[in-house]
Protein backbone atom coordinates (compact mmCIF):
# COMPACT_ATOMS: atom_id res chain seq x y z
CA UNK A 1 0.00 0.00 0.00
CA UNK A 2 2.82 2.45 0.78
CA UNK A 3 4.38 1.89 -2.63
CA UNK A 4 1.06 2.41 -4.39
CA UNK A 5 0.56 5.63 -2.45
CA UNK A 6 3.84 6.97 -3.89
CA UNK A 7 3.10 5.82 -7.43
CA UNK A 8 1.34 9.00 -8.63
CA UNK A 9 4.34 11.10 -7.57
CA UNK A 10 6.79 8.70 -9.23
CA UNK A 11 4.72 8.72 -12.42
CA UNK A 12 4.70 12.54 -12.49
CA UNK A 13 8.48 12.60 -12.13
CA UNK A 14 8.91 10.01 -14.86
CA UNK A 15 6.49 11.90 -17.12
CA UNK A 16 8.69 14.98 -16.71
CA UNK A 17 11.81 12.96 -17.52
CA UNK A 18 10.12 11.40 -20.55
CA UNK A 19 8.87 14.76 -21.80
CA UNK A 20 12.23 16.48 -21.26
CA UNK A 21 14.59 13.79 -22.44
CA UNK A 22 12.85 10.57 -23.38
CA UNK A 23 16.05 9.18 -24.83
CA UNK A 24 17.64 9.25 -21.36
CA UNK A 25 19.04 5.86 -20.34
CA UNK A 26 18.36 4.35 -23.77
CA UNK A 27 14.66 5.13 -23.67
CA UNK A 28 14.31 4.19 -20.01
CA UNK A 29 11.46 6.61 -19.26
CA UNK A 30 9.37 5.06 -22.05
CA UNK A 31 10.23 1.56 -20.88
CA UNK A 32 9.20 2.54 -17.34
CA UNK A 33 5.72 3.38 -18.59
CA UNK A 34 5.62 0.17 -20.57
CA UNK A 35 6.34 -1.87 -17.47
CA UNK A 36 4.13 0.13 -15.10
CA UNK A 37 1.16 0.01 -17.48
CA UNK A 38 1.35 -3.78 -17.66
CA UNK A 39 2.14 -4.33 -13.98
CA UNK A 40 -0.96 -2.57 -12.73
CA UNK A 41 -4.49 -3.88 -13.23
CA UNK A 42 -6.85 -1.59 -15.15
CA UNK A 43 -8.61 -0.64 -11.89
CA UNK A 44 -5.35 0.93 -10.66
CA UNK A 45 -4.46 2.66 -13.91
CA UNK A 46 -2.86 -0.12 -15.94
CA UNK A 47 -3.26 0.21 -19.69
CA UNK A 48 -1.81 -2.42 -22.06
CA UNK A 49 -2.23 -0.18 -25.12
CA UNK A 50 -0.30 2.64 -23.44
CA UNK A 51 2.29 0.05 -22.40
CA UNK A 52 2.75 -1.01 -26.01
CA UNK A 53 3.32 2.59 -27.06
CA UNK A 54 5.85 3.09 -24.27
CA UNK A 55 7.77 -0.06 -25.11
CA UNK A 56 7.80 0.68 -28.83
CA UNK A 57 9.01 4.25 -28.29
CA UNK A 58 11.71 3.10 -25.90
CA UNK A 59 12.91 0.40 -28.29
CA UNK A 60 12.88 2.81 -31.25
CA UNK A 61 15.29 5.21 -29.52
CA UNK A 62 18.12 2.68 -29.92
CA UNK A 63 16.76 1.04 -33.08
CA UNK A 64 16.24 -2.09 -30.98
CA UNK A 65 19.93 -2.36 -30.10
CA UNK A 66 19.32 -1.99 -26.34
CA UNK A 67 18.08 -5.53 -25.82
CA UNK A 68 16.76 -5.01 -22.29
CA UNK A 69 13.95 -2.88 -23.72
CA UNK A 70 12.92 -5.65 -26.09
CA UNK A 71 13.22 -8.29 -23.35
CA UNK A 72 10.98 -6.28 -21.03
CA UNK A 73 8.51 -5.75 -23.88
CA UNK A 74 8.34 -9.48 -24.57
CA UNK A 75 8.01 -10.46 -20.95
CA UNK A 76 5.59 -7.83 -19.68
CA UNK A 77 3.45 -6.74 -22.62
CA UNK A 78 2.79 -10.08 -24.28
CA UNK A 79 1.95 -11.70 -20.96
CA UNK A 80 -0.45 -8.85 -20.19
CA UNK A 81 -2.34 -9.37 -23.46
CA UNK A 82 -2.03 -13.18 -23.28
CA UNK A 83 -0.11 -13.52 -26.55
CA UNK A 84 2.16 -16.55 -26.43
CA UNK A 85 3.38 -16.15 -30.01
CA UNK A 86 4.46 -12.54 -29.48
CA UNK A 87 6.12 -13.48 -26.19
CA UNK A 88 8.19 -16.26 -27.73
CA UNK A 89 9.02 -14.32 -30.91
CA UNK A 90 10.20 -11.19 -29.09
CA UNK A 91 12.28 -13.03 -26.50
CA UNK A 92 13.81 -15.21 -29.22
CA UNK A 93 14.81 -12.03 -31.10
CA UNK A 94 16.71 -10.97 -27.99
CA UNK A 95 18.55 -14.30 -27.86
CA UNK A 96 19.33 -14.19 -31.58
CA UNK A 97 20.78 -10.66 -31.51
CA UNK A 98 24.57 -10.43 -31.80
CA UNK A 99 26.38 -9.84 -28.53
CA UNK A 100 28.06 -6.73 -29.89
CA UNK A 101 24.89 -5.11 -31.23
CA UNK A 102 25.45 -2.17 -28.84
CA UNK A 103 29.02 -2.44 -27.49
CA UNK A 104 28.59 0.31 -24.90
CA UNK A 105 25.70 -1.66 -23.36
CA UNK A 106 27.11 -5.15 -23.70
CA UNK A 107 26.62 -6.02 -20.03
CA UNK A 108 22.95 -4.94 -20.07
CA UNK A 109 22.42 -6.78 -23.34
CA UNK A 110 23.98 -9.96 -21.99
CA UNK A 111 21.73 -9.69 -18.94
CA UNK A 112 18.75 -9.25 -21.28
CA UNK A 113 19.75 -12.45 -23.05
CA UNK A 114 20.00 -14.33 -19.73
CA UNK A 115 16.56 -13.09 -18.75
CA UNK A 116 15.09 -13.89 -22.15
CA UNK A 117 16.39 -17.45 -21.94
CA UNK A 118 14.95 -17.88 -18.45
CA UNK A 119 11.61 -16.34 -19.43
CA UNK A 120 11.36 -18.55 -22.52
CA UNK A 121 11.88 -21.54 -20.24
CA UNK A 122 8.86 -20.40 -18.22
CA UNK A 123 6.54 -19.93 -21.21
CA UNK A 124 4.28 -22.85 -20.25
CA UNK A 125 3.74 -21.34 -16.80
CA UNK A 126 2.25 -18.19 -18.31
CA UNK A 127 0.31 -19.53 -21.28
CA UNK A 128 -1.98 -22.52 -21.66
Amino acid sequence: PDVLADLPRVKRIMEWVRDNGGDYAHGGPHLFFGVINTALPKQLGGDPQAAKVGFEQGIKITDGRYLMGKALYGYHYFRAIDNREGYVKTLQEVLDAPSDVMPEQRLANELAKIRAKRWLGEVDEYFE
Side-chain angles (χ1 to χ4, degrees):
D2 292 340
V3 172
L4 286 176
D6 289 336
L7 188 57
R9 183 171 13 145
V10 172
K11 286 174 77 174
R12 282 193 307 275
I13 292 168
M14 290 304 291
E15 285 168 355
W16 184 90
V17 174
R18 181 193 60 203
D19 296 343
N20 291 281
D23 60 345
Y24 176 75
H26 311 293
H30 297 286
L31 299 175
F32 167 83
F33 283 104
V35 171
I36 205 74
N37 279 310
T38 56
L40 294 173
K42 288 184 180 181
Q43 300 86 340
L44 294 176
D47 182 351
Q49 188 56 38
K52 181 179 182 180
V53 170
F55 282 123
E56 289 177 347
Q57 288 176 337
I59 292 167
K60 184 179 177 183
I61 286 170
T62 65
D63 295 321
R65 296 178 308 122
Y66 183 64
L67 300 178
M68 188 60 74
K70 192 175 273 193
L72 293 171
Y73 179 45
Y75 180 75
H76 290 284
Y77 175 71
F78 290 106
R79 282 180 52 206
I81 65 165
D82 196 31
N83 182 331
R84 181 186 183 116
E85 182 180 324
Y87 178 92
V88 170
K89 178 180 179 278
T90 305
L91 293 175
Q92 190 61 54
E93 287 174 4
V94 172
L95 288 177
D96 293 343
S99 293
D100 62 351
V101 68
M102 191 176 192
E104 66 275 20
Q105 288 299 313
R106 186 168 185 153
L107 181 60
N109 282 347
E110 289 299 324
L111 180 58
K113 286 176 175 258
I114 290 168
R115 288 182 179 181
K117 184 177 180 179
R118 184 180 78 221
W119 292 336
L120 278 171
E122 299 171 349
V123 67
D124 290 333
E125 295 177 30
Y126 304 127
F127 302 96
E128 293 182 21

